[in-house]
Amino acid sequence: MSRTNPRPSLWAGVAALLLMTACAGRPDHAVVPVPATARVLADSLTLDTTATIGVIGGIEAFRVAEHLATVVGTTPESRPPILVDGEQDATILVALDPLAAPRYGPEGYALRVSGDGVRIDAATPAGLFYGVQTFRQLLPPVTEYGAARPAPRRVPHVEIEDRPRFGWRGAMLDVARHFFEVEDVKRLIDLMALHKMNRLHLHLSDDQGWRIEVPGWPALTAIGSRTEVGGGPGGYYTTAEYQELVAYAAARFVTIVPEIDLPGHTNAALASVPELNCDGVPPPLYTGIAVGFSTVCVHAETTYRFVDDVLGHLAAITPGPWLHVGGDEVEELSADEYRAFIERVESIVRGHGKRMIGWQEVAAADLRPSTVIQHWREAGEEATAYEQQVILSPSTHIYLDIKYHDGTPIGLDWSGLNPLRDAYEWDPTALIPGLPESAVLGIESPLWTETLATVEDLEFMAFPRLAAVAELAWSPPESIDWGDFRARLARLGLRWTALGVNYYRSPDVDWRVW
């Protein structure tokens, strides 16, 4: 009498149990920021070397399609061809329709992957670009390896419709304390774009260094750029290099916001231009990290001619609508002197056709509604009286230079410690009591560089926390969930590894799962 071997069914049951256990708690996808709506289906689409990209929407859609081709193909030879008006034959279709603005808004998109192929729809080029970033994160992480050989890749069938919560989704890079070359800044821009961030605030001047060429004031770069924290060589951007960065960022839908910190944090300028000092005597260059000791002479007309020239030059080479004027940590002026200076600088900024941004201290001045306040400290009396739009940059949550924990080898701890979970679990609408959400322009995460000297340092302190900031700024509040985020982040870590990102393996995340 024959007997049926029970092992196949037994092992099948064990395998099913293991699969269920392994999948428990897994997200349906690993997209960060999490989309507003996403339906992931059971099937998948296989992309191979026969894939093509179709375009509807003219030259702006074509440029996004060119970017998409570099995402899909790791080499010029493996990039899929772009078919203009090739809707019938395309494997992937990008479609730009300005009439769809009521549905998608200025940065939203729809993404569908099915057995028929891939389709990305948006009302604006920015929306198309963000749809491409979502599609990119659905591709296997190996796609990011530049040396990877072309191979069939599976993409899950999905139906996604998405748009951001806030229009300002930013990071700030301090290039004054330590200088970073053009290619270093481009690296950060690329990583920001992957996470749908759209504002790069460049802190171009401080006590330790002046980092931008200004016609008519050659001493700023001849003298003020020559050092940095600890006495390193410093450096600066020529006008052409700055414009190169602006264009590079714009191609990735990132707007650069330049900052010249005034009237304090100005020792590099004071050391370069004697007339900015009330006594006419330039101080020595400075390489420490203490703050609050420097200020321009607010009673001298030369100071305002200087401010007008510097801000005018930046306005001329910065297409974006904002100029940041700092305004923080000024200890050497009276309250009246400070307010009068800020109000006059605001007029200068407006005279160059730009909107002024300042750190929260500028709220003490009588400002126009068009000015933007960047809130960075605990909410005080001035915060409850904000009459301008506000960018949220709470130092207790999203200052990227603050240590993760006591043993973090670089970084500062003046505002406490900022572990990954603290960067994610805070409510932007509750940060400032009484401030309506309509007044919140968005969120920006500053990366100060007193202790950060290399790109590896920047990446270690920025990631994974910058991904948390990106999700808070983009995703709807009902989708903010720590458990789901940390699971998706574990998979995103594989992509960062493929990109060579020196990210911190936070113990809040089980990076081994994937």
Side-chain angles (χ1 to χ4, degrees), residues 240-290:
E241 287 172 330
Y242 177 83
Q243 290 176 310
E244 179 184 346
L245 283 174
V246 167
Y248 189 88
R252 290 148 184 80
F253 298 91
V254 174
T255 300
I256 286 185
V257 181
E259 178 188 352
I260 299 297
D261 208 343
L262 297 163
H265 288 275
T266 47
N267 194 82
L270 298 174
S272 306
V273 184
E275 296 87 349
L276 297 178
N277 299 273
C278 286
D279 61 4
V281 179
L285 291 170
Y286 178 70
T287 61
I289 63 172

Side-chain angles (χ1 to χ4, degrees), residues 289-409:
I289 63 172
V291 299
F293 62 88
S294 63
T295 181
V296 295
C297 187
V298 298
H299 302 293
E301 284 304 308
T302 299
T303 294
Y304 298 99
R305 179 171 66 86
F306 167 80
V307 171
D308 189 41
D309 286 352
V310 171
L311 297 182
H313 177 59
L314 278 174
I317 61 176
T318 304
W322 302 282
L323 293 180
H324 202 303
V325 301
D328 59 321
E329 299 176 321
V330 178
E331 299 176 3
E332 298 300 316
L333 297 176
S334 70
D336 288 342
E337 289 174 322
Y338 176 80
R339 285 194 296 267
F341 177 85
I342 293 298
E343 289 163 14
R344 187 162 177 182
V345 169
E346 184 191 47
S347 296
I348 292 172
V349 172
R350 286 175 51 82
H352 291 292
K354 302 294 185 180
R355 293 178 64 184
M356 188 178 90
I357 304 175
W359 298 105
Q360 77 187 68
E361 289 91 328
V362 304
D366 183 12
L367 302 174
R368 295 177 181 268
S370 60
T371 288
V372 177
I373 307 298
Q374 187 160 4
H375 182 87
W376 67 280
R377 299 197 293 191
E378 292 296 323
E381 291 182 3
E382 83 286 353
T384 62
Y386 287 154
E387 297 179 0
Q388 292 77 23
Q389 284 191 300
V390 179
I391 299 166
L392 301 178
S393 299
S395 58
T396 50
H397 289 285
I398 60 171
Y399 262 41
L400 300 177
D401 58 302
I402 296 298
K403 295 185 176 205
Y404 293 98
H405 55 81
D406 286 331
T408 306

Side-chain angles (χ1 to χ4, degrees), residues 41-216:
L41 307 176
D43 293 332
S44 62
L45 172 71
T46 299
L47 287 178
D48 56 26
T49 55
T50 67
T52 59
I53 299 174
V55 176
I56 298 175
I59 186 63
E60 291 181 316
F62 184 83
R63 291 192 182 111
V64 175
E66 288 183 310
H67 172 74
L68 173 60
T70 67
V71 168
V72 176
T74 57
T75 65
E77 294 76 22
S78 65
R79 289 170 191 163
I82 299 173
L83 310 175
V84 179
D85 296 325
E87 182 175 359
Q88 298 299 322
D89 303 316
T91 313
I92 308 170
L93 181 68
V94 292
L96 182 63
D97 180 9
L99 297 180
R103 177 177 178 182
Y104 301 125
E107 295 181 295
Y109 66 92
L111 167 64
R112 180 182 176 87
V113 180
S114 68
D116 296 326
V118 181
R119 179 170 179 133
I120 305 172
D121 291 277
T124 66
L128 278 185
F129 182 83
Y130 296 133
V132 168
Q133 300 314 307
T134 295
F135 177 69
R136 175 183 177 183
Q137 290 193 30
L138 292 172
L139 290 168
V142 71
T143 302
E144 306 291 350
Y145 282 111
R149 296 177 63 85
R153 282 157 290 170
R154 294 170 58 190
V155 187
H157 287 186
V158 296
E159 295 175 353
I160 291 174
E161 191 155 327
D162 199 12
R163 65 166 67 193
R165 181 183 184 186
F166 295 114
W168 192 288
R169 305 178 303 278
M172 188 220 77
L173 177 60
D174 170 16
V175 297
R177 269 51 175 264
H178 279 100
F179 181 67
F180 292 87
E181 301 287 348
V182 168
E183 294 305 313
D184 301 334
V185 181
K186 287 181 177 180
R187 166 80 166 172
L188 178 60
I189 291 170
D190 285 335
L191 292 172
M192 290 175 61
L194 172 64
H195 300 84
K196 302 185 180 72
M197 304 189 81
N198 65 351
R199 304 283 185 265
L200 176 58
H201 169 183
L202 286 180
H203 186 78
L204 292 169
S205 70
D206 214 294
D207 291 314
Q208 299 86 354
W210 184 278
R211 307 304 183 202
I212 186 70
E213 178 182 48
V214 180

